[in-house]
Amino acid sequence: MSHIHHGLGRLDRFTKACLDGHALNDTHATSVLPEFFGRLAPANPLIWSGNKADLIAIFDALVADMLVNDRLEGPADAGMTFFGQFLDHDVTLDASSAIGTVADPRNIRNIRTPNLDLDCVYGDGPEASPHLYTGWTDTTGKHHEGFLLFGRADSPLDLARNCKGTALIGDPRNDENIFVSQVQGGFICLHNILLNEVIANTPLGQTVKSKAMEGTSDDVWSDQVLPPMSDFEIVRRFIRLHYQFITITDFLPQVVVQSIIDDCMATDPFGADAPIMPVEFSGAAYRFGHATAQDGYRLKSGGPEQLFFAKQGFEPRDDSHDIEMGEFFGPSAQKARPVGTSVAASLFELPFVTDGFTMPDGTPVNATQAKKLPLRNILRDRFALHLPNGQRLAGLLGHTPLPVPQTLADHHIAKTPLWFYCLEEADNAGGKLDKVGGTIVASVIARLLRCDPESYVHIDGFQPLPDFATMANMMAFVEANRDALPQKEALWCGPSA
C-alpha cells in the first residue's frame, strides 16, 4: 500500500507511467511496464512452403490422438482446474486478442493488473467500481461500506447480476462456466464474511486485522486509507495475502514438479529483464489447464455426474447447479485429469463455437476444426503469436530437448509447438508440468510476487491462518459461515433464474 500513489486508480497510474516514459517493454526503458505482454525468447514466425490448409490438417491429426473418453485421475484436485482458470483471469486479459490475426505482444494491452491482487473480484474498489458493491446499516443505525454484492432471492449462491443476467464481477470471464463462477463466488463470500467479523470486532476479526497489517506500518493505514474504507482494505489485504500463499504452496505443487517451483522461487531462470507477463505463459504454457478438465463432475456428494458443458455460463444459475466445495477441493475431492497429452472429448466439441474462421493469410478453418480447443491452441501459437517452439526453450534453459512427435516428423516438421511440448513433458513427470512448462508457469507467478512490494513474499516469516492456508480449508470456512451472515439478504440483486 505504501507504494500506491494516493488517490490514483489503476488507469491513472498507467497514464502516469506513460507520461514518465516507462511505457516501453524492452531493456532500454527505465522500467518494464507490466501492462504489456512481452517475450521470453525471440518470435518464431511460421515458415511453411506448402498449402497452409495442409499444415492445419497436420496439426489436426496431431491433436486427434489427444482425444480420450476415459476418466483418468491425476495428482491435482478437480477444483484446481478452475482455481487455475480463476488465477489466469486475475493476471491476464487481452481484450483485443483474435485467433485469426497476427499479434505483436508489445502492443497487446493486458487489461488485468498483472499482480495476484484479486482485481477480478474487487475491480478497482468501491469508489471506481461501485456496481460491484453495496453498503449495509447495522441494528444500531451505523452504516458500513465495502460489501460485495452476491446472490439472488431465488438463487442465494449465484453471482449478483444486472437486469439482463450479466454477472456483476470484476472479470466477466469468471462466469463462463458454473465451476469457475463458484470459485469467484467463494472469494466474494469470504470477503463479506470477514468484513462482518472485522466490523463486529470478533476475535477472528481482530486476528484478520493483525495479519493484514503485517509488513506495513500504522502510518500507512492512517495516512492512505480513509476511515470509512479501513475495514474493507484490511479484509482485502488479508485475503490477497492468503490467496498468494495458496497459489504458491497449494495450487502450484499440484500441477508443477516441486523442484521446479523451488528453483523459480529462489531465482528467476529468465533473468531480471524478463517480461512481467510473457506471451509464452499466456499463449501456451498456462493453457495446460485444458488438459486437466474432466468430461463431467459430481456437483454434490452422492449426486449424479454432470457433463462439463451441460449448463452454460454467462447466465443466471439456479440452486440445482450449486456445487459442494468438498467435491472439488480437499481429501474427498474428485481429481483433475493429469497434465499431459490426453484431453477430454468435450473439449473437441466446444458448444459455444458454431462457425469456422479465417487465419491471417486467408487460410480457412472449418467449423469442425474450430470446435477443437487443442487445435485452436496450436493455431493461435503458429499463426498469430509466433511462439518459440518447445525445443528452443528447452535449449535456452539448458535441458535436452524432447524429440518431435512422429505425426509432425512424418511431414518434415522439425519442432514442436510450445503448448504441446509442455504437455509431452508432463506425460513423463507424473502428470505435472516439468522443465519447460513448469519453469515458465512457476517463474511467471514467482516474478509477479517478487515485483509486487505488497505481496506475502516480502513479509518476513509470513504464516497464514490455518483456516485460509489451502483452498480446501478456505472454501470449507466459506461454506460453514456464509449462511449466517446478517447482511446476506441485503447483498442480493439481479433477475430470477
Side-chain angles (χ1 to χ4, degrees), residues 118 254 348:
L118 291 174
Q254 296 194 46
F348 286 77

Side-chain angles (χ1 to χ4, degrees), residues 40 91 116 264 268 270 275-278 281 438-449:
L40 296 172
V91 298
L116 277 74
C264 291
D268 195 324
F270 294 103
I276 299 296
M277 184 48 60
F281 172 91
T439 299
I440 294 172
V441 168
S443 68
V444 167
I445 292 174
R447 189 180 308 127
L448 294 178
L449 294 177

Side-chain angles (χ1 to χ4, degrees), residues 5 34 89 92 127 144 148 157 171 178 196 206 229 257 272 292 300 327 330 333 343 371 379 443 479 493:
H5 301 293
H89 293 173
T92 65
E127 184 176 352
H144 306 277
L148 285 158
L157 299 182
D171 190 315
I178 65 170
N196 182 67
Q206 295 169 14
M229 294 311 299
V257 171
T292 70
K300 298 177 175 67
E327 291 295 303
V343 176
K371 284 179 171 289
L379 296 184
S443 68
E479 287 188 327
C493 80

Side-chain angles (χ1 to χ4, degrees), residues 229-247:
M229 294 311 299
S230 61
D231 292 342
F232 168 83
E233 294 291 358
I234 284 167
V235 171
R236 178 162 65 171
R237 177 166 166 79
F238 174 90
I239 296 175
R240 279 176 174 171
L241 294 175
H242 285 77
Y243 160 64
Q244 293 164 358
F245 182 88
I246 284 172
T247 297

Side-chain angles (χ1 to χ4, degrees), residues 341-463:
T341 55
S342 69
V343 176
S346 59
L347 297 187
F348 286 77
E349 288 287 343
L350 299 178
F352 44 82
V353 175
T354 57
D355 301 312
F357 53 85
T358 302
M359 300 311 297
D361 63 351
T363 304
V365 177
N366 63 47
T368 300
Q369 294 169 328
K371 284 179 171 289
K372 301 176 182 180
L373 185 55
L375 180 60
R376 294 172 71 94
N377 284 339
I378 292 178
L379 296 184
R380 179 182 287 103
D381 170 345
R382 300 315 307 126
F383 284 84
L385 297 177
H386 297 162
L387 301 181
N389 56 68
Q391 287 82 5
R392 170 75 176 85
L393 279 170
L396 181 67
L397 292 168
H399 303 301
T400 301
L402 297 175
V404 176
Q406 194 62 47
T407 301
L408 299 184
D410 287 345
H411 293 87
H412 310 292
I413 297 175
K415 303 296 180 182
T416 308
L418 183 56
W419 175 73
F420 191 88
Y421 188 95
C422 294
L423 300 186
E424 282 189 302
E425 286 187 328
D427 278 338
N428 301 317
K432 296 184 180 183
L433 293 170
D434 198 10
K435 298 178 178 64
V436 171
T439 299
I440 294 172
V441 168
S443 68
V444 167
I445 292 174
R447 189 180 308 127
L448 294 178
L449 294 177
R450 279 196 293 268
C451 290
D452 178 4
E454 308 303 333
S455 76
Y456 92 92
V457 301
H458 297 292
I459 300 176
D460 187 36
F462 176 81
Q463 291 294 321

Side-chain angles (χ1 to χ4, degrees), residues 84 251 255-256 284-292 339-340 419 422-423 433 441:
F251 169 66
V255 297
V256 178
Y286 200 76
R287 293 177 182 268
F288 76 89
H290 297 158
T292 70
V339 182
W419 175 73
C422 294
L423 300 186
L433 293 170
V441 168

